[in-house]
Amino acid sequence: MPISDHLKAVRSKIGHDLLATTAVSISVFDDAGRLLLGRDAETNLWTLPGGAIDPNEHPADAASRECFEETGLVVRPQRLLGVFGGPEFLIRYPNGDLTYYTVIAFEAAIVGGTLVPDGEEIASLRFVDRRDWEQLPVSQSSRIISRQAFDRDPVPFFAAASWRPEI
């Protein structure tokens, strides 16, 4: 599902103007320690599974749902990788929509399902090791999050505050 009914309704009111929303990202590793990436059907960039959180949806549920919709895998979020934002999370879609995402990123374990791309958002799927990942054209936002996932830092990531009041 490329866009939820909720986001369609919002877009019908604001058009292609900037929309700030909260999203989730899911990092899934196989038994060999390789990370799952999907090739975006529109941009051909490799990305982590994920998407916008629907109204009243818990972030971990959104992460599980998005992963299943895009990859066919049933996953259980196990830990928070971090909360991400910044200029790399401002996306202009091919249709002209401008969206800024604050992303809550999880690492998850596979508990079922069959690995198959949805064919709508994700054209293909593959598990990659860090060396392969470095060579792939990965979206800016997924590059930042997947770097954190590969580092396996037990402390959730967030960018340190740089804002200071004007005095």
Side-chain angles (χ1 to χ4, degrees), residues 19-35:
L19 173 65
T21 192
T22 308
V24 291
S25 172
I26 203 88
S27 293
V28 179
F29 289 92
D30 67 7
D31 292 338
R34 298 176 305 167
L35 180 64

Side-chain angles (χ1 to χ4, degrees), residues 59-166:
D61 287 334
S64 297
R65 175 184 53 77
E66 286 286 345
C67 191
F68 179 74
E69 290 174 357
E70 294 177 5
T71 73
L73 294 178
V74 178
V75 298
R76 183 180 64 249
Q78 294 188 301
R79 74 181 186 99
L80 180 67
L81 287 176
V83 178
F84 297 82
E88 299 86 358
F89 294 81
L90 180 65
I91 310 295
R92 179 163 309 272
Y93 288 96
N95 71 354
D97 288 352
L98 185 61
T99 307
Y100 175 78
Y101 292 101
T102 300
V103 179
I104 302 166
F106 295 93
E107 184 176 327
I110 300 169
V111 296
T114 302
L115 186 64
V116 59
D118 70 2
E120 197 170 332
E121 286 184 84
I122 303 299
S124 60
L125 295 162
R126 67 188 272 202
F127 284 95
V128 298
D129 63 23
R130 194 161 192 156
R131 186 177 331 152
D132 290 338
W133 169 81
E134 290 170 353
Q135 305 304 313
L136 287 175
V138 177
S139 72
Q140 289 183 346
S141 56
S142 286
R143 178 79 65 192
I144 291 167
I145 296 168
S146 56
R147 181 177 296 117
Q148 186 69 24
F150 272 122
D151 286 349
R152 296 287 177 89
D153 189 337
V155 177
F157 171 86
F158 64 92
S162 61
W163 180 88
R164 300 286 184 261
E166 294 182 25

